[in-house]
Amino acid sequence: MTIAQLYQHYLLHPTICTDTRKITPGCLFFALKGENFNANTFALQALENGAAFAVIDDVEYQKDNRFILVNDTLIALQQLAKHHRTQLNIPIIGLTGSNGKTTTKELIYSVLSQKLNTHATKGNFNNHIGVPLTLLEIKPEAEVAIIEMGANHQKEIELLCDICQPNYGLITNVGKAHLEGFGGFEGVKKGKGELYNFLEKNHGTAFINKDNTHLLGMAETRKLDKIVYYGTHPSNDVSGELIKNDPFLEVKWRHQGENYTVHSKLTGIYNFENILAAVTIGLAFGLSADEINQGINTYEPQNNRSQIIKTANNTVIGDYYNANPSSMLVAIENLAKLAANEKVIILGDMFELGDEAAAEHENILQKALEQHFYKTIFIGQEFYKLNASADTFFFKTTLEAAAELKKKPIKNALVLLKGSRSMKLESLMELL
């Protein structure tokens, strides 16, 4: 079946499912394959559960005309999403970066939603499967969409741009994330820069933080037609400064000679630039200062990203959704600047660092110890290898750390809890 023919089925059945446990009546089921599963084997079950059609790529499972045979279900899904995008006469903002993608996306969504019917990536559905599914969720009434794009190797952003065809683009930053897949920091810059490549080729608009020398350098090597700059210097199209961080951020921003102040429910000095990016995009899409400030003020972080959680015993900065050397450093620096009598830092291992893992964990360890926090706790195999300080606690696993916290609970402290998702640091919350 051609993509054009498949699209006609999609128009009649615009809900896509890839999991038989989440089938909705009348949906299109795509039988995707992975390392440990072949969803072609579940196609019949999907139909029995209520799917209208099952898109498969193995003729062996084609029983009747409810089974749509394609060469490759993943490629068909991506091509269907790209075709749908061509039918949408709306601007799409492509967003990527090493850190802050999801928070920035949610801020932009909160801002633009004050005036426009806005669609955005849900959660972190930002890979080669999530981006197509996000595009296919865009309804005809949408006026703008924000597509988050994640990557852990080169050419991935290039693929996602080809699918979602962004008119606007924002790289939040480039840092030491997925070093193993990208082949080092220069590989990260090259991979994330694929968004700028697409904007250059298709005459799109780039929003660039002029305070970030890496992003400036990446932009200067390309011929971008349209750039909107934001940052701390007054010469930018939009400028701003951080007024308060105690622990929530208050930001003053300026545009065309006018000054405005916005209060947020975000913590972390690193979120200042994310707020400024949302302001900049709000202005570019014609929102008023009041609408922009309302969007920022009402946004509350979720999903364990820089959340301030008041427990019975402590105040916890829950930032354990993920971690890399760049985000670890700014989280430590932020904790050092916050006011509290006793500060505790609990850090878990960082993953996907390849040959640089040992050096990067050593760097984070030294940065944390320099702050002389009330208590420092490191968890994971990489950190445990560095066990060298009598004043610091090291544990191989999160379970071992939990056992220690049960015996010696932490009370009346400001606690930073941060590590890679696989460390499952959320299990420590009930002990804090």
Side-chain angles (χ1 to χ4, degrees):
M1 181 174 287
T2 67
I3 295 302
Q5 291 170 324
L6 182 57
Y7 191 65
Q8 295 307 309
H9 285 289
Y10 163 77
L11 292 176
L12 295 173
H13 306 280
T15 300
I16 307 295
C17 290
T18 60
D19 187 336
T20 53
R21 296 166 297 182
K22 300 177 182 178
I23 295 294
T24 58
C27 71
L28 282 181
F29 174 72
F30 275 75
L32 301 177
K33 292 194 289 281
E35 290 183 8
N36 301 310
F37 66 92
N38 178 0
N40 284 283
T41 61
F42 301 112
L44 180 59
Q45 181 184 339
L47 292 168
E48 291 173 346
N49 289 352
F53 294 92
V55 182
I56 60 173
D57 56 12
D58 189 335
V59 68
E60 178 184 344
Y61 297 94
Q62 189 176 31
K63 307 299 181 184
D64 53 48
N65 60 8
R66 296 175 301 164
F67 295 81
I68 299 173
L69 185 65
V70 296
N71 290 328
D72 185 298
T73 49
L74 175 59
I75 292 175
L77 178 68
Q78 294 170 341
Q79 291 179 342
L80 181 66
K82 181 177 179 179
H83 184 79
H84 181 54
R85 195 285 177 255
T86 64
Q87 308 303 304
L88 297 167
N89 188 27
I90 63 170
I92 284 185
I93 304 165
L95 188 153
T96 190
S98 297
N99 298 305
K101 291 187 296 296
T102 301
T103 297
T104 304
K105 175 215 42 183
E106 295 293 343
L107 278 168
I108 297 168
Y109 174 77
S110 185
V111 166
L112 295 182
S113 294
Q114 301 300 313
K115 182 178 182 179
L116 303 170
N117 188 314
T118 307
H119 185 85
T121 302
K122 293 178 182 176
N124 67 330
F125 266 48
N126 60 16
N127 65 4
H128 61 296
I129 297 173
V131 167
L133 291 175
T134 298
L135 284 167
L136 290 165
E137 288 179 347
I138 300 177
K139 299 294 187 287
E141 58 269 22
E143 297 174 288
V144 61
I146 310 154
I147 306 297
E148 179 181 333
M149 298 182 289
N152 57 19
H153 57 268
Q154 293 175 36
K155 297 297 183 182
E156 195 166 4
I157 297 298
E158 180 181 283
L159 168 67
L160 300 180
C161 283
D162 181 65
I163 295 170
C164 73
Q165 305 279 310
N167 317 89
Y168 298 83
L170 170 71
I171 302 176
T172 57
N173 49 58
V174 285
K176 294 179 178 180
H178 305 294
L179 295 178
E180 187 174 24
F182 279 114
F185 181 58
E186 289 303 314
V188 174
K189 291 167 63 175
K190 185 176 180 181
K192 298 299 183 182
E194 290 163 10
L195 175 55
Y196 287 169
N197 293 346
F198 185 88
L199 296 175
E200 176 187 22
K201 183 179 178 181
N202 295 278
H203 309 290
T205 298
F207 299 101
I208 298 178
N209 179 1
K210 208 169 186 179
D211 294 341
N212 191 311
T213 56
H214 295 302
L215 295 179
L216 275 183
M218 290 160 60
E220 287 169 359
T221 62
R222 297 162 172 89
K223 296 180 181 178
L224 292 164
D225 287 350
K226 306 165 191 172
I227 301 177
V228 179
Y229 289 111
Y230 62 95
T232 53
H233 196 276
S235 63
N236 289 302
D237 297 292
V238 181
S239 62
E241 62 182 289
L242 181 60
I243 299 174
K244 288 183 182 178
N245 178 29
D246 62 351
F248 298 116
L249 304 188
E250 183 178 329
V251 173
K252 178 185 287 186
W253 59 274
R254 307 175 191 86
H255 178 62
Q256 296 182 344
E258 297 293 330
N259 293 308
Y260 309 92
T261 300
V262 61
H263 304 268
S264 79
K265 297 181 177 68
L266 285 163
T267 189
I269 51 178
Y270 45 85
N271 275 313
F272 161 69
E273 61 191 59
N274 299 335
I275 291 172
L276 206 55
V279 169
T280 304
I281 291 176
L283 290 168
F285 280 82
L287 274 73
S288 69
D290 287 344
E291 289 168 333
I292 291 169
N293 284 356
Q294 176 72 6
I296 292 169
N297 178 257
T298 55
Y299 169 68
E300 296 190 38
Q302 298 176 350
N303 300 323
N304 312 321
R305 292 178 170 90
S306 298
Q307 281 183 268
I308 292 185
I309 306 161
K310 296 279 190 180
T311 70
N313 298 314
N314 301 288
T315 299
V316 180
I317 301 174
D319 198 2
Y320 42 85
Y321 182 83
N322 218 334
N324 58 56
S326 301
S327 66
M328 279 280 201
L329 283 173
V330 293
I332 293 169
E333 290 169 354
N334 181 67
L335 181 65
K337 293 179 180 180
L338 293 175
N341 292 328
E342 294 182 349
K343 301 177 187 178
V344 175
I345 188 165
I346 305 175
L347 301 182
D349 273 359
M350 303 170 288
F351 294 90
E352 297 186 57
L353 297 180
D355 294 339
E356 299 183 48
E360 292 297 345
H361 281 85
E362 171 73 28
N363 186 38
I364 294 299
L365 173 70
Q366 295 305 322
K367 182 70 175 181
L369 295 180
E370 285 171 10
Q371 308 305 321
H372 301 292
F373 294 129
Y374 173 72
K375 183 177 287 188
T376 51
I377 298 173
F378 298 94
I379 308 170
Q381 300 293 331
E382 289 293 339
F383 276 129
Y384 193 80
K385 294 175 188 176
L386 306 171
N387 188 346
S389 172
D391 300 322
T392 305
F393 298 88
F394 291 84
F395 302 96
K396 287 184 179 179
T397 68
T398 305
L399 280 174
E400 290 178 10
E404 180 68 16
L405 288 174
K406 286 178 183 177
K407 289 190 292 183
K408 299 177 181 178
I410 296 169
K411 293 188 177 182
N412 303 316
L414 175 61
V415 183
L416 171 64
L417 185 62
K418 185 169 179 64
S420 284
R421 184 72 191 87
S422 299
M423 293 303 299
K424 299 182 179 179
L425 295 183
E426 66 274 11
S427 64
L428 300 180
M429 279 301 301
E430 63 185 21
L431 303 171
L432 295 172

